[in-house]
Amino acid sequence: QVQLVESGGGSVQSGGSLTLSCAASGYDFSWFCLAWFRQAPGKEREGVATIALTGPTSYADSVKGRFTISKDNAKKTLYLQMDNLKPEDSAMYYCAADNYLGSSRCKPSTNASRFDNWGQGTQVTVSS
């Protein structure tokens, strides 16, 4: 059974940094597409960053230059380094994995419904 478990969320002031982790089990971590999504209260779940099987990354415009997605295949862990955080980054952050999205479709703009595997989420709160 595939399991994704996020950690690393918390409360920080504007301009601060956090690193989110997503530990995977029940699979060999060779997913075609790994992603971070976020959802704020009253808003739709939106893609933040993606990383394809061979390494290409993609970011939403709102986080480009501030967030970095990476993975450690040996540790079966996905990361999201978040720097220069803003109050509008406050949300529940989820990691997701899919084994059918190729590199060309492994993008933050891909609808969340395309991803089959999800973690339970970790809360990020940024105060001004």
Side-chain angles (χ1 to χ4, degrees):
Q1 181 180 354
V2 174
Q3 190 172 19
L4 301 173
V5 180
E6 301 97 333
S7 62
S11 297
V12 295
Q13 290 191 329
S14 183
S17 298
L18 284 173
T19 301
L20 305 183
S21 299
C22 173
S25 61
Y27 191 64
D28 64 2
F29 207 63
S30 61
W31 279 293
F32 280 24
C33 183
L34 291 163
W36 286 99
F37 282 78
R38 67 186 181 187
Q39 188 168 19
K43 294 189 177 181
E44 292 188 357
R45 191 167 296 190
E46 64 173 350
V48 173
T50 57
I51 184 166
L53 177 62
T54 55
T57 58
S58 185
Y59 298 90
D61 288 342
S62 60
V63 306
K64 202 170 292 183
R66 300 188 298 121
F67 290 11
T68 304
I69 188 171
S70 63
K71 60 178 178 171
D72 185 325
N73 291 332
K75 295 182 178 180
K76 296 185 179 181
T77 302
L78 176 71
Y79 301 99
L80 184 68
Q81 174 67 41
M82 305 185 295
D83 297 317
N84 191 20
L85 282 161
K86 304 176 180 180
E88 52 264 42
D89 294 319
S90 297
M92 186 72 80
Y93 282 71
Y94 300 89
C95 65
D98 187 83
N99 218 18
Y100 297 96
L101 293 169
S103 293
S104 63
R105 301 178 71 180
C106 185
K107 305 291 183 184
S109 57
T110 298
N111 195 289
S113 63
R114 291 298 309 274
F115 289 82
D116 294 330
N117 302 284
W118 291 87
Q120 83 290 347
T122 187
Q123 179 68 40
V124 172
T125 302
V126 185
S127 57
S128 57

